[in-house]
Amino acid sequence: MLTMKAKYALRAMCALARAESGRTAPAVRHGRLQAKAIAEHSGAPSKFLESILVDLREAGFIHSRRGQKGGHTLARPADQIMVGDLIRAIDGPLAPVRCASVSAYQPCADCADPDACSLRALMREARDALSHVLDRRSLRELALAPDFGAAAIDPALLDATFLSGEPGGGR
């Protein structure tokens, strides 16, 4: 499940992406977006947003500058930032259970044979499907979608391999 922290992070990043593209960016000063404007756009409480911005900066997604000419900018173009990477940076692995994770695998304490576990196989399939979508959607696509909550999935992203049910390389 996506946490509120990740939702606020995605909304904040969308505000920065819109500022980068010159579309409906609130309070851009000296090419940077002020934290107050990001908080207003994302609906995040200011103190909570401050910790999110620190996490995003430490993960290499944004640059921050203090002072009168300060503010926040994307560290790289929005079309080079994938939504899946942002979510992993804030919430951790996409897998619904640790035993299905690629990057944070931990076997279940009550499982005798993880390789033969049908529940683990199902959760890996779910992880691959989620990863398949999120790792192909850029921040730019999300930011420029008409409605943050209603961004349509491009059917071209769902290739024949994914639709056929073959295991993917999800994370």
Side-chain angles (χ1 to χ4, degrees):
M1 178 171 14
L2 195 64
T3 64
M4 283 306 296
K5 184 176 183 179
K7 281 186 178 183
Y8 288 144
L10 289 169
R11 289 178 183 156
M13 291 293 289
C14 283
L16 291 169
R18 288 184 190 112
E20 173 190 78
S21 71
R23 295 179 62 148
T24 62
V28 177
R29 290 179 52 180
H30 308 287
R32 299 179 187 282
L33 197 56
Q34 302 289 311
K36 181 179 178 182
I38 297 171
E40 289 171 7
H41 176 77
S42 65
S46 294
K47 289 288 184 188
F48 192 33
L49 180 67
E50 288 175 22
S51 73
I52 292 169
L53 292 173
V54 168
D55 290 345
L56 291 169
R57 187 182 72 238
E58 289 175 354
F61 291 111
I62 64 171
H63 291 300
S64 300
R65 184 172 172 183
R66 290 184 162 187
Q68 184 135 9
K69 294 183 180 182
H72 307 276
T73 59
L74 295 177
R76 58 187 186 268
D79 61 350
Q80 295 177 15
I81 299 172
M82 296 298 123
V83 173
D85 293 332
L86 285 167
I87 293 171
R88 284 184 195 92
I90 300 299
D91 279 353
L94 296 177
V97 292
R98 291 274 185 198
C99 69
S101 177
V102 171
S103 60
Y105 172 80
Q106 289 181 347
C108 297
D110 62 342
C111 186
D113 185 4
D115 292 331
C117 179
S118 59
L119 180 59
R120 178 174 180 242
L122 178 64
M123 293 298 111
R124 289 176 69 175
E125 189 177 334
R127 174 212 61 208
D128 289 349
L130 185 59
S131 178
H132 185 85
V133 173
L134 296 177
D135 289 340
R136 286 163 179 78
R137 178 63 58 100
S138 73
L139 174 62
R140 183 176 189 278
E141 290 174 275
L142 182 63
L144 300 180
D147 181 357
F148 178 85
I153 296 171
D154 180 355
L157 297 177
L158 300 174
D159 62 29
T161 302
F162 177 71
L163 292 175
S164 71
E166 294 294 316
R171 297 179 184 178

